[in-house]
Each structure stands twice: as C-alpha cells, then as structure tokens.
Amino acid sequence: MSNHALENAAHALREARCAMAFTGAGISVESGIPPFRGPGGIWSIYDPEKFEKGYFKRHPEEVWPLLKKIFYDSFGRAKPNAAHLALAELEQADKLAGIVTQNIDSLHQAAGSQVVHEYHGSTRRMQCMQCRTYFDADAISLDTLPPRCPSCGGLLKPDFVFFGEGVASDVHYAATDLAKQSDVCLVIGTGGQVVPAGRIPYIVKNRGGVIIEINLSDTGYTYTTSDYFLEGKAGAMVSKLVRCVLG
C-alpha cells in the first residue's frame, strides 16, 4: 500500500459530508474471534446446517451446546481491538455518521461507538420463540441447555440471524438509509459475499460515493467498487487512517 493511497483515502474521509463504515468478520479476528468462512473458519469446523432455523427448532438440545461454545464462551471473552477503538474515535470527532456491521459480537459498542446497525443481530439478546419476548443474554443462565423463557417456558433463541431467517426489516431500512446519505464508505474486514448485507457499499458507490477498502487481501469489491484499497490488518490500517484524518 502506498502512502499516496492512504493520504487520498484520509482526504476523502476528512472532506466527507457523511461517512459510514461497513464491517465484517475480518475486523474482529484480532480480538480472537474466528471468521465464519475460509480456512479455520467456524463453518470449516461446524456444519452450517445445524444453524438453520428449522433444524434449531427441531433439535434445540443438539444445537444449544454448540451455540454456547461458539458464541457465548469464546465471544464473551473477546475485547475490542485497535480497529474498533479507532472507529469509535472517528465517530466522536464527528467524522463517522455510523456503522453497519455484519458481526454479532457487539465489539463496536464495547469500543464506544454509538450508532451501530447490527445487520445480522447480536448475541447480546435472546428471544423466546413462543411469546416473542426479548431478554438480555447476560440475564439468562446457560447452565441448563436449552435455556427456557423466564416468562412462558418457551424455547429461547439468540437474537441473531440463522440460516433460513430474514434480516429484521427495521435494521435493513436503517442500514440502507445510512448508505443513501453517505458519500464515503469505509469497508473493513469483509468481501461482501453475504447478501443482502454485501450490497450496502454498492448503494454508496452507485450514488457517486467513495469506497475505501481495508482488507488482508483483495475481494469482490477491490477491482469493481473500491476507490482506495489499503491492504493489511484492520487494527493497524484503520488506526493509521484515523491518525491521518484526525492528525
């Protein structure tokens, strides 16, 4: 990556009328959370079909121990890294209007970001599949699995999007609305393979916006959509960019 690309990307962010970030699994890898796809990813270890909504409803006693192991034991220990903190700093300086994230780890909020649209939901909440009540995950004991609803005894499900389940319409509209308002989009740690989430940067691009991509290697965005490609780890690259923007 040339300093030229970094300086131009920083200039675009500094001059932006409204900038947003679109983040994926790659931003959380340095926090110890494995990606879902690729070598060593969660889906190379566990069968994704177990996390299909219909399968979960039929076999909660089989799926819940996996959910606990993957999403509560490991995610629960994760802390925000330099990339999450740098984005929060950018927002505090009024240089970032908000974040659309595909991640369900809530590390953006833990870093201090205020406007975060969790496109695929979050591990922080659970919902009863019977009475539809939401609960804070911290208030639910996972000592006995599957956990039951404190109100009606129904089956609890983590409030993130399973396979075969639609994205919540309010989150989709909020994310799309932010993209329509933005003239700069920072794409970090994602190649946009998961749709409809992966279409978000295209909304910005199609309206004449600038795309700044930060990834370990080139992606589907790199040659078709990105104006600036900053290659490297999210922690180092986002920090460098934010230092350039804020001085």
Side-chain angles (χ1 to χ4, degrees):
M1 179 206 71
S2 67
N3 275 342
H4 192 54
L6 182 67
E7 284 160 16
N8 286 344
H11 178 75
L13 257 179
R14 260 196 309 271
E15 299 299 310
R17 182 179 39 76
C18 177
M20 67 171 288
F22 176 66
T23 67
I27 198 171
S28 293
V29 168
E30 290 167 73
S31 293
I33 293 178
F36 284 90
R37 286 163 178 76
I42 287 169
W43 302 144
S44 70
I45 303 165
Y46 300 98
D47 180 357
E49 286 184 13
K50 300 275 170 74
F51 303 91
E52 190 268 324
K53 192 176 181 182
Y55 190 92
F56 170 73
K57 283 167 84 169
R58 292 191 303 274
H59 308 283
E61 65 295 324
E62 180 190 350
V63 179
W64 250 111
L66 299 176
L67 292 171
K68 180 179 184 292
K69 184 178 179 184
I70 300 166
F71 299 108
Y72 291 96
D73 295 348
S74 65
F75 280 36
R77 290 194 296 270
K79 298 281 185 283
N81 63 54
H84 298 107
L85 296 166
L87 288 181
E89 191 182 350
L90 206 56
E91 184 191 54
Q92 280 178 324
D94 289 329
K95 292 294 179 189
L96 194 72
I99 298 168
V100 176
T101 187
Q102 299 167 85
N103 299 340
I104 58 175
D105 52 39
S106 298
L107 290 178
H108 286 300
Q109 291 94 325
S113 291
Q114 300 296 310
V115 181
V116 183
H117 303 299
E118 294 175 306
Y119 205 85
H120 294 141
S122 167
T123 55
R124 284 179 308 152
R125 295 198 310 173
M126 293 186 195
Q127 186 182 25
C128 174
M129 298 188 78
Q130 197 162 303
C131 71
R132 317 308 293 172
T133 308
Y134 287 99
F135 298 94
D136 189 325
D138 289 341
I140 303 295
S141 168
L142 297 181
D143 292 342
T144 304
L145 298 177
R148 292 287 166 184
C149 173
S151 298
C152 77
L155 174 65
L156 288 178
K157 175 192 167 293
D159 188 31
F160 54 79
V161 178
F162 277 44
F163 293 110
E165 191 172 21
V167 171
S169 56
D170 58 335
V171 177
H172 172 71
Y173 290 130
T176 305
D177 201 44
L178 177 60
K180 285 176 179 172
Q181 293 173 45
S182 298
D183 52 349
V184 172
C185 180
L186 255 176
V187 173
I188 307 164
T190 177
Q193 295 156 296
V194 180
V195 291
R199 298 189 189 124
I200 295 287
Y202 294 112
I203 297 171
V204 180
K205 183 71 173 180
N206 292 342
R207 298 170 82 88
V210 172
I211 307 298
I212 301 165
E213 180 186 355
I214 296 175
N215 268 315
L216 274 176
S217 55
D218 52 7
T219 70
Y221 292 127
T222 309
Y223 305 107
T224 59
T225 314
S226 300
D227 296 280
Y228 305 109
F229 178 52
L230 311 180
E231 188 174 353
K233 287 187 173 182
M237 283 300 158
V238 182
S239 300
K240 265 188 196 174
L241 179 60
V242 170
R243 287 279 63 77
C244 258
V245 173
L246 302 181

